[in-house]
Amino acid sequence: MSKLRKIIVRVKLRIPHVFDVSQTEGDDLPSVVGELDGSVEGYEDLMSALKDVSPVPVAFEAMEPDTKGYFHRVDKRIALAEGQSQIQSVKTCIHEIAHATLHDPDMQEAMADTGDLPDRRTREVQAESVAFTVCSYLGLDTSDYSFGYIAEWSAGKETSALKDSIECIRAASSGLIEGIDTRMAQIREARGQTREVPLATRALQTRTSSTALLGPSTQQRHVPQREAAAQAR
């Protein structure tokens, strides 16, 4: 039986941005941010775990070349673009799960009267920061994509406003990491595997420490190519 572990995720960011289609949450791809390329160890099991921990259904479908995925706020489902690399699919899936977890329209409506409803830029920064943090925990380096994305969507935001998102990002990241660890352990147990340390329990990399989400300098900012009515990555 695995030992009880305490997961601590420290998040600090300065100024980090995504794509949108009506009634969706997702990310616009900045012109200088390239698609992630590479395979992922245990990809099928990891994607299965992500689908299980997601609060809404996840499925792949055909999309426009510059669209990686989206969370449909009305249908309450996540769509991922077919034909992406394994690491891009994992990163995008986590980004969209973060939207579904943190930015559900019902919750947004409930928060509207309190003045706590985050704007779109903040939502994108939060979702990509969660994706970066969780991927780093899994041993996946998404900095080439995440830093440019976060820098773009945070452009023009006050540092104090970004700091308000830190606890939100930390809590969402911790919840996802714990859920992934649990599900991966269940998958191994069902197969009769007894390996003590699953894919998702790799030690947090240095990138997830306080300086991890500072991203590139403020000079590395890119302008989104379009503003639709939703958000995709």
CSV table of all heavy atoms in Angstrom, one decimal, residues 89-113:
chain,number,residue,atom,x,y,z
A,89,SER,N,-0.9,17.4,-26.6
A,89,SER,CA,-2.2,17.0,-26.2
A,89,SER,C,-2.3,16.9,-24.7
A,89,SER,O,-3.4,17.4,-24.2
A,89,SER,CB,-2.5,15.6,-26.8
A,89,SER,OG,-2.5,15.6,-28.2
A,90,VAL,N,-1.3,16.5,-24.0
A,90,VAL,CA,-1.4,16.4,-22.6
A,90,VAL,C,-1.4,17.8,-22.0
A,90,VAL,O,-2.2,18.1,-21.1
A,90,VAL,CB,-0.1,15.7,-22.0
A,90,VAL,CG1,0.0,15.9,-20.5
A,90,VAL,CG2,-0.2,14.2,-22.4
A,91,LYS,N,-0.6,18.7,-22.5
A,91,LYS,CA,-0.5,20.1,-22.0
A,91,LYS,C,-1.9,20.8,-22.2
A,91,LYS,O,-2.4,21.4,-21.3
A,91,LYS,CB,0.6,20.9,-22.7
A,91,LYS,CG,1.1,22.1,-22.0
A,91,LYS,CD,0.1,23.3,-22.1
A,91,LYS,CE,-0.3,23.7,-23.5
A,91,LYS,NZ,-1.2,24.8,-23.5
A,92,THR,N,-2.4,20.6,-23.4
A,92,THR,CA,-3.7,21.3,-23.8
A,92,THR,C,-4.8,20.7,-22.9
A,92,THR,O,-5.7,21.4,-22.5
A,92,THR,CB,-4.0,21.1,-25.3
A,92,THR,OG1,-3.0,21.7,-26.1
A,92,THR,CG2,-5.3,21.7,-25.6
A,93,CYS,N,-4.8,19.4,-22.7
A,93,CYS,CA,-5.9,18.8,-21.9
A,93,CYS,C,-5.9,19.3,-20.5
A,93,CYS,O,-6.9,19.7,-20.0
A,93,CYS,CB,-5.6,17.3,-21.9
A,93,CYS,SG,-7.0,16.4,-21.1
A,94,ILE,N,-4.7,19.5,-19.9
A,94,ILE,CA,-4.6,20.0,-18.6
A,94,ILE,C,-5.0,21.5,-18.5
A,94,ILE,O,-5.7,21.9,-17.6
A,94,ILE,CB,-3.2,19.9,-18.0
A,94,ILE,CG1,-2.8,18.4,-17.9
A,94,ILE,CG2,-3.0,20.6,-16.7
A,94,ILE,CD1,-1.4,18.1,-17.6
A,95,HIS,N,-4.7,22.2,-19.6
A,95,HIS,CA,-5.1,23.6,-19.7
A,95,HIS,C,-6.6,23.7,-19.7
A,95,HIS,O,-7.2,24.6,-19.0
A,95,HIS,CB,-4.5,24.2,-21.0
A,95,HIS,CG,-4.9,25.7,-21.2
A,95,HIS,ND1,-3.9,26.7,-21.2
A,95,HIS,CD2,-6.0,26.2,-21.5
A,95,HIS,CE1,-4.6,27.8,-21.5
A,95,HIS,NE2,-5.8,27.6,-21.7
A,96,GLU,N,-7.2,22.9,-20.5
A,96,GLU,CA,-8.7,22.9,-20.6
A,96,GLU,C,-9.4,22.4,-19.3
A,96,GLU,O,-10.4,22.9,-18.9
A,96,GLU,CB,-9.1,22.1,-21.8
A,96,GLU,CG,-8.6,22.6,-23.1
A,96,GLU,CD,-8.9,24.1,-23.4
A,96,GLU,OE1,-9.8,24.7,-22.8
A,96,GLU,OE2,-8.2,24.7,-24.2
A,97,ILE,N,-8.8,21.4,-18.7
A,97,ILE,CA,-9.3,21.0,-17.4
A,97,ILE,C,-9.3,22.1,-16.4
A,97,ILE,O,-10.2,22.2,-15.6
A,97,ILE,CB,-8.5,19.7,-16.9
A,97,ILE,CG1,-8.8,18.5,-17.8
A,97,ILE,CG2,-8.9,19.4,-15.5
A,97,ILE,CD1,-8.0,17.3,-17.5
A,98,ALA,N,-8.2,22.9,-16.4
A,98,ALA,CA,-8.1,24.0,-15.5
A,98,ALA,C,-9.2,25.0,-15.8
A,98,ALA,O,-9.8,25.5,-14.8
A,98,ALA,CB,-6.7,24.7,-15.7
A,99,HIS,N,-9.5,25.3,-17.0
A,99,HIS,CA,-10.7,26.1,-17.4
A,99,HIS,C,-12.0,25.6,-16.8
A,99,HIS,O,-12.8,26.3,-16.2
A,99,HIS,CB,-10.8,26.3,-18.9
A,99,HIS,CG,-10.0,27.4,-19.5
A,99,HIS,ND1,-10.0,28.7,-19.0
A,99,HIS,CD2,-9.1,27.4,-20.5
A,99,HIS,CE1,-9.2,29.4,-19.7
A,99,HIS,NE2,-8.6,28.7,-20.6
A,100,ALA,N,-12.2,24.3,-17.1
A,100,ALA,CA,-13.4,23.6,-16.6
A,100,ALA,C,-13.5,23.6,-15.1
A,100,ALA,O,-14.6,23.7,-14.5
A,100,ALA,CB,-13.5,22.2,-17.1
A,101,THR,N,-12.4,23.5,-14.4
A,101,THR,CA,-12.4,23.5,-13.0
A,101,THR,C,-12.6,24.9,-12.4
A,101,THR,O,-13.3,25.1,-11.4
A,101,THR,CB,-11.1,22.9,-12.5
A,101,THR,OG1,-10.9,21.6,-13.0
A,101,THR,CG2,-11.1,22.8,-10.9
A,102,LEU,N,-11.9,25.9,-12.9
A,102,LEU,CA,-11.8,27.2,-12.4
A,102,LEU,C,-12.8,28.2,-13.0
A,102,LEU,O,-13.2,29.2,-12.3
A,102,LEU,CB,-10.4,27.8,-12.5
A,102,LEU,CG,-9.3,27.1,-11.8
A,102,LEU,CD1,-7.9,27.7,-12.2
A,102,LEU,CD2,-9.5,27.1,-10.3
A,103,HIS,N,-13.2,28.0,-14.2
A,103,HIS,CA,-13.9,29.0,-15.0
A,103,HIS,C,-15.3,28.5,-15.5
A,103,HIS,O,-15.7,28.9,-16.6
A,103,HIS,CB,-13.1,29.5,-16.1
A,103,HIS,CG,-11.7,29.9,-15.6
A,103,HIS,ND1,-10.5,29.6,-16.3
A,103,HIS,CD2,-11.3,30.6,-14.5
A,103,HIS,CE1,-9.5,30.1,-15.7
A,103,HIS,NE2,-9.9,30.7,-14.6
A,104,ASP,N,-15.9,27.6,-14.8
A,104,ASP,CA,-17.2,27.1,-15.2
A,104,ASP,C,-18.2,28.3,-15.3
A,104,ASP,O,-18.2,29.1,-14.3
A,104,ASP,CB,-17.7,26.0,-14.3
A,104,ASP,CG,-19.1,25.5,-14.7
A,104,ASP,OD1,-20.1,26.1,-14.3
A,104,ASP,OD2,-19.1,24.5,-15.4
A,105,PRO,N,-19.0,28.4,-16.3
A,105,PRO,CA,-19.9,29.6,-16.4
A,105,PRO,C,-20.9,29.7,-15.3
A,105,PRO,O,-21.2,30.8,-14.9
A,105,PRO,CB,-20.6,29.3,-17.8
A,105,PRO,CG,-20.5,27.9,-18.0
A,105,PRO,CD,-19.1,27.5,-17.5
A,106,ASP,N,-21.3,28.6,-14.7
A,106,ASP,CA,-22.2,28.7,-13.6
A,106,ASP,C,-21.5,29.3,-12.4
A,106,ASP,O,-22.1,30.2,-11.7
A,106,ASP,CB,-22.7,27.3,-13.2
A,106,ASP,CG,-23.5,26.7,-14.2
A,106,ASP,OD1,-24.2,27.4,-15.0
A,106,ASP,OD2,-23.6,25.4,-14.3
A,107,MET,N,-20.2,29.0,-12.2
A,107,MET,CA,-19.5,29.6,-11.1
A,107,MET,C,-19.2,31.0,-11.4
A,107,MET,O,-19.3,31.9,-10.5
A,107,MET,CB,-18.2,28.8,-10.9
A,107,MET,CG,-17.3,29.4,-9.8
A,107,MET,SD,-18.1,29.4,-8.2
A,107,MET,CE,-18.1,27.7,-7.8
A,108,GLN,N,-18.9,31.3,-12.6
A,108,GLN,CA,-18.7,32.7,-13.0
A,108,GLN,C,-19.9,33.6,-12.7
A,108,GLN,O,-19.7,34.7,-12.2
A,108,GLN,CB,-18.3,32.8,-14.5
A,108,GLN,CG,-17.0,32.3,-14.9
A,108,GLN,CD,-16.6,32.5,-16.3
A,108,GLN,OE1,-17.5,33.0,-17.1
A,108,GLN,NE2,-15.5,32.1,-16.8
A,109,GLU,N,-21.0,33.0,-13.0
A,109,GLU,CA,-22.3,33.8,-12.8
A,109,GLU,C,-22.5,34.0,-11.3
A,109,GLU,O,-22.8,35.1,-10.9
A,109,GLU,CB,-23.5,33.0,-13.3
A,109,GLU,CG,-24.8,33.8,-13.2
A,109,GLU,CD,-25.9,33.0,-13.8
A,109,GLU,OE1,-25.7,32.0,-14.5
A,109,GLU,OE2,-27.1,33.5,-13.6
A,110,ALA,N,-22.1,33.0,-10.5
A,110,ALA,CA,-22.3,33.1,-9.0
A,110,ALA,C,-21.3,34.2,-8.5
A,110,ALA,O,-21.6,34.8,-7.5
A,110,ALA,CB,-22.0,31.8,-8.4
A,111,MET,N,-20.1,34.3,-9.1
A,111,MET,CA,-19.1,35.2,-8.6
A,111,MET,C,-19.3,36.6,-9.1
A,111,MET,O,-18.7,37.5,-8.6
A,111,MET,CB,-17.7,34.7,-9.1
A,111,MET,CG,-17.3,33.3,-8.5
A,111,MET,SD,-15.8,32.7,-9.3
A,111,MET,CE,-14.6,34.0,-8.9
A,112,ALA,N,-20.1,36.8,-10.1
A,112,ALA,CA,-20.3,38.1,-10.8
A,112,ALA,C,-20.7,39.2,-9.8
A,112,ALA,O,-20.2,40.3,-9.8
A,112,ALA,CB,-21.3,38.0,-11.9
A,113,ASP,N,-21.6,38.9,-8.9
A,113,ASP,CA,-22.1,39.9,-8.0
A,113,ASP,C,-21.1,40.2,-6.9
A,113,ASP,O,-21.2,41.2,-6.2
A,113,ASP,CB,-23.4,39.4,-7.3
A,113,ASP,CG,-24.5,39.2,-8.3
A,113,ASP,OD1,-24.5,39.9,-9.3
A,113,ASP,OD2,-25.4,38.5,-8.0
